[in-house]
Structures are given as structure tokens and as C-alpha cells.
Amino acid sequence: EAEFLENTADTRKDLRVVVGLDISGSTSIPVDRKTEKGPKVIDVEKQFALIFARALGALTPNIDVYGFNSMTATNVYHAKPIEALSSFVSDCANRDGDFIRYITHILSAARADVKYFFLITDGQPSSVNYEGKYALDDTLLAMRECRKAGIRLVYFNIDSELRDYFGFFKAEASYAEYFADPHDLVDVIPKLVESIASEIV
């Protein structure tokens, strides 16, 4: 009914979403590590981001996709339009804390009722002068700061094994999930969109 649709539109909460992709050198590893053929981890990350962003387009136009990699500092790449994410290439390392703080700054300044940050990474934070416990603690602190700013932080981890660091990150994220096979990322999109839709309508 037209009247119902109008009322729904009036009461819908404003939604802002950022999808962040780790595009460090390790994402150049093929998904099938036995044959080393087929798509690479970064290819599946990009597929997920593009399909997810298009699905969310029914809920909000306020969607952005960023990629990041690091050495002594962090490079951030904004896919604008979103289809430009096809140009992302794997390189360097990853200072996750830097990137999380960058996106937290962007989302904190955004005028929206509901803010989501989806972070997809393929391993433990590690870069030049950013390793071990220091890198882990800094990333945990950045995640804490993100949630304190009122942002729903969803952490998706891709790794060949479920490692100890995932448990620490899961405790700080609003929601976290581990994927041994990157292809499983795409399968969770309907559930994610349904969950977000129920929150804003």
C-alpha cells in the first residue's frame, strides 16, 4: 500500500556504511593453496564488497568502500565509484590500527542514526615497526575507540587457521566471524542485509 510505504520511509533511520578491505601483500595468495590456481584472497574480498554494497543500495546511498595497506605509514584508497575497487592490488603490509582510526574519524563526522564499519582482513596486523604484541594492542585499542564512538564494528577474518588473535579481536568487535575459505564471505551477505534492514526500518 502506498500509505504504508510512505510511513515506512518517514520512520526509517539514516544508515551509513563503510566496507574496509585489507589489501596487503598477503592477500595475493590464491584461495586454493594446494594448487595455487584460481582466484586470490583479494579477488574474493572485492567480490564481497561489490555485491554487498549493491545489496545495501536498497537501504541507503551512503555506502563507501576503502582499501588499505601499510609500511611505516598507511595508504588508504577510496573506491569512488564503488566499481573502482577493481583497481585495488595487493601490496606491502598492514597497520590495522591506523586504518581503523581513519575510518572511525570519517564515520564519527557522519550524520546518521546507524553507522556500520565492516573490516575484512586476512591475518594478524604486521608492518614495519608494527609487530607482535604492540601491533595487537594498538589494533585492539583502535577497535575499542571505534565502538566507543557509537560505530558498529563488524570484523571478518580470513586465515588458513583459526588463530589466537581472532579471539582478542572478537571480544572488541560488535560482531566477528572467522572464514577459512574466503568464498564463504559472499554467503553471509543475505543475512547481513536482512539484519541491517531490520534495525533501520
Side-chain angles (χ1 to χ4, degrees), residues 25-158:
S26 58
T27 62
S28 65
I29 297 172
V31 174
D32 187 344
R33 300 190 181 194
K34 292 180 180 178
T35 64
E36 295 192 352
K37 295 180 180 179
K40 299 173 182 177
V41 171
I42 191 172
D43 297 327
V44 182
E45 284 186 344
K46 291 191 285 189
Q47 289 171 6
F48 166 83
L50 185 59
I51 296 169
F52 186 42
R54 286 179 173 171
L56 284 176
L59 302 177
T60 179
N62 302 316
I63 309 160
D64 287 284
V65 177
Y66 291 83
F68 80 100
N69 55 31
S70 316
M71 286 300 286
T72 55
T74 295
N75 307 305
V76 178
Y77 310 90
H78 187 191
K80 193 168 179 137
I82 289 172
E83 289 75 14
L85 63 82
S86 62
S87 65
F88 289 173
V89 294
S90 303
D91 195 19
C92 303
N94 54 304
R95 304 172 70 95
D96 291 22
D98 288 359
F99 181 63
I100 293 169
R101 289 188 178 94
Y102 181 84
I103 300 301
T104 297
H105 174 73
I106 290 174
L107 286 175
S108 294
R111 299 179 117 186
D113 302 310
V114 180
K115 303 174 185 179
Y116 270 96
F117 174 24
F118 289 84
L119 176 62
I120 295 91
T121 72
D122 79 325
Q124 188 166 342
S126 179
S127 190
V128 177
N129 299 324
Y130 193 82
E131 298 175 342
K133 187 176 185 303
Y134 170 72
L136 179 64
D137 288 347
D138 182 66
T139 302
L140 290 170
L141 180 59
M143 294 175 81
R144 209 168 297 145
E145 293 166 354
C146 181
R147 290 193 61 195
K148 189 175 180 181
I151 299 163
R152 291 159 173 78
L153 174 60
V154 179
Y155 172 65
F156 287 159
N157 174 242
I158 304 166

Side-chain angles (χ1 to χ4, degrees), residues 171-198:
E172 293 297 338
S174 304
Y175 178 76
E177 196 164 340
Y178 160 75
F179 301 91
D181 184 346
H183 287 109
D184 292 339
L185 272 169
V186 179
D187 294 337
V188 303
I189 290 176
K191 179 179 71 174
L192 293 175
V193 174
E194 183 179 2
S195 176
I196 295 172
S198 65

